[in-house]
């Protein structure tokens, strides 16, 4: 099932307004296919859902996590430090139009904002969302290399003397975590390779 079908079927669980659902999807599609979206694009969402589908049985509230995936990077500006907050606000307004209950909207907002720092969470759904978001870090070296190229393109507005120290700080933040991944499934699958990849990138910055 493609992303549009997934989004439409998911929304139909809450409302039966096909015109509104189509409008909301077009909005998401436009955001994630915008100029400069080299990594944080629709392929990133597809990858996350692929990872989450594999552990779906462990996620009690998959409906909430689904909304969080679709909207977590809907606002993405490499020069901004408020992308997550703006994405959460964006999601909340759209979910209200679908008459989603306030608790779910609040939870989605919390999950989206959590993707800013990737700190440990007591909520299992949030932990799986964060792990899926970072799973690229634990892929094979060539996939990781491709990811680093795309991230660099997204930050093309910054020259190397500004980009490299900032990128190094982000990478060292991940290495400083007790565990990059929060769930056993992702930790077992990706933790060791992720640390090797990050160390490799730092050495080659």
């Amino acid at each position: 099932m493609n992303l549009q079908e997934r989004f439409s079927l998911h929304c139909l669980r809450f409302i039966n307004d096909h015109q509104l659902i189509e409008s909301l999807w077009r909005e998401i599609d436009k955001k994630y296919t915008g100029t400069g979206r080299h990594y944080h694009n629709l392929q990133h969402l597809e990858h996350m859902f692929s990872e989450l589908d594999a552990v779906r049985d462990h996620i009690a509230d998959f409906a909430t996590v689904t909304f969080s995936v679709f909207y977590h990077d809907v606002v993405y500006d490499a020069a901004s430090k408020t992308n997550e907050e703006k994405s959460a606000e964006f999601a909340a307004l759209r979910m209200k139009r679908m008459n989603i209950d306030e608790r779910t909207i609040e939870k989605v907002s919390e999950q989206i904002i959590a993707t800013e720092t990737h700190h440990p969470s007591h909520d299992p759904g949030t932990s799986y969302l964060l792990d899926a978001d970072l799973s690229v870090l634990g892929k094979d070296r060539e996939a990781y290399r491709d990811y680093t190229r795309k991230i660099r393109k997204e930050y093309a507005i910054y020259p190397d003397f500004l980009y490299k120290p900032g990128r190094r700080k982000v990478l060292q933040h991940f290495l400083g975590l007790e565990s990059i991944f929060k769930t056993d499934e992702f930790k077992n699958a990706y933790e060791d390779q992720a640390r090797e990849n990050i160390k490799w990138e730092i050495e080659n910055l």
Side-chain angles (χ1 to χ4, degrees):
M1 147 172 53
N2 64 35
L3 285 175
Q4 182 176 2
E5 291 170 337
R6 184 187 286 267
F7 182 78
S8 298
L9 289 172
H10 185 61
C11 292
L12 283 169
R13 297 174 56 188
F14 302 91
I15 55 168
N16 195 33
D17 187 336
H18 291 267
Q19 188 173 358
L20 174 59
I21 293 172
E22 173 67 22
S23 173
L24 293 174
W25 166 254
R26 286 199 304 269
E27 195 174 48
I28 289 172
D29 182 71
K30 184 178 180 180
K31 288 286 189 179
Y32 282 94
T33 57
T35 303
R37 292 280 192 142
H38 301 283
Y39 175 74
H40 293 92
N41 50 30
L42 293 177
Q43 288 69 42
H44 174 52
L45 301 190
E46 289 173 349
H47 174 75
M48 286 183 68
F49 277 121
S50 175
E51 295 286 345
L52 290 168
D53 284 343
V55 294
R56 186 169 186 154
D57 291 345
H58 299 280
I59 305 174
D61 191 0
F62 201 80
T64 297
V65 173
T66 295
F67 278 126
S68 295
V69 173
F70 276 115
Y71 284 107
H72 81 288
D73 283 327
V74 73
V75 176
Y76 191 81
D77 176 1
S80 174
K81 294 184 178 181
T82 60
N83 289 322
E84 290 80 11
E85 288 82 359
K86 289 179 179 177
S87 293
E89 292 170 3
F90 188 101
L93 290 173
R94 274 64 185 175
M95 293 173 72
K96 285 176 182 175
R97 292 177 63 189
M98 288 188 277
N99 296 317
I100 307 297
D101 65 276
E102 285 295 329
R103 180 66 193 113
T104 299
I105 293 175
E106 181 182 341
K107 194 67 187 176
V108 168
S109 295
E110 291 172 355
Q111 290 183 343
I112 291 174
I113 290 172
T115 64
E116 180 177 6
T117 59
H118 288 84
H119 288 316
S121 171
H122 295 297
D123 175 64
T126 302
S127 294
Y128 281 108
L129 173 75
L130 298 179
D131 282 359
D133 192 30
L134 292 183
S135 57
V136 66
L137 301 181
K139 297 299 182 178
D140 65 73
R141 185 58 53 81
E142 188 49 47
Y144 184 83
R145 193 194 309 266
D146 181 61
Y147 152 73
T148 64
R149 292 192 192 109
K150 291 174 178 175
I151 290 294
R152 184 65 185 99
K153 286 182 180 179
E154 289 189 340
Y155 284 85
I157 58 171
Y158 295 108
D160 279 350
F161 77 89
L162 290 176
Y163 175 78
K164 289 184 176 182
R167 180 64 179 170
R168 185 176 291 108
K169 184 178 179 180
V170 170
L171 296 172
Q172 288 173 337
H173 163 74
F174 286 128
L175 285 183
L177 297 174
E178 182 178 344
S179 177
I180 295 171
F181 297 98
K182 316 298 187 277
T183 65
D184 289 341
E185 292 82 6
F186 282 88
K187 195 180 301 182
N188 292 336
Y190 298 129
E191 184 75 23
D192 291 344
Q193 184 62 46
R195 290 185 176 276
E196 288 184 21
N197 285 336
I198 291 171
K199 290 174 184 176
W200 169 85
E201 185 181 356
I202 289 174
E203 290 172 0
N204 287 276
L205 275 175

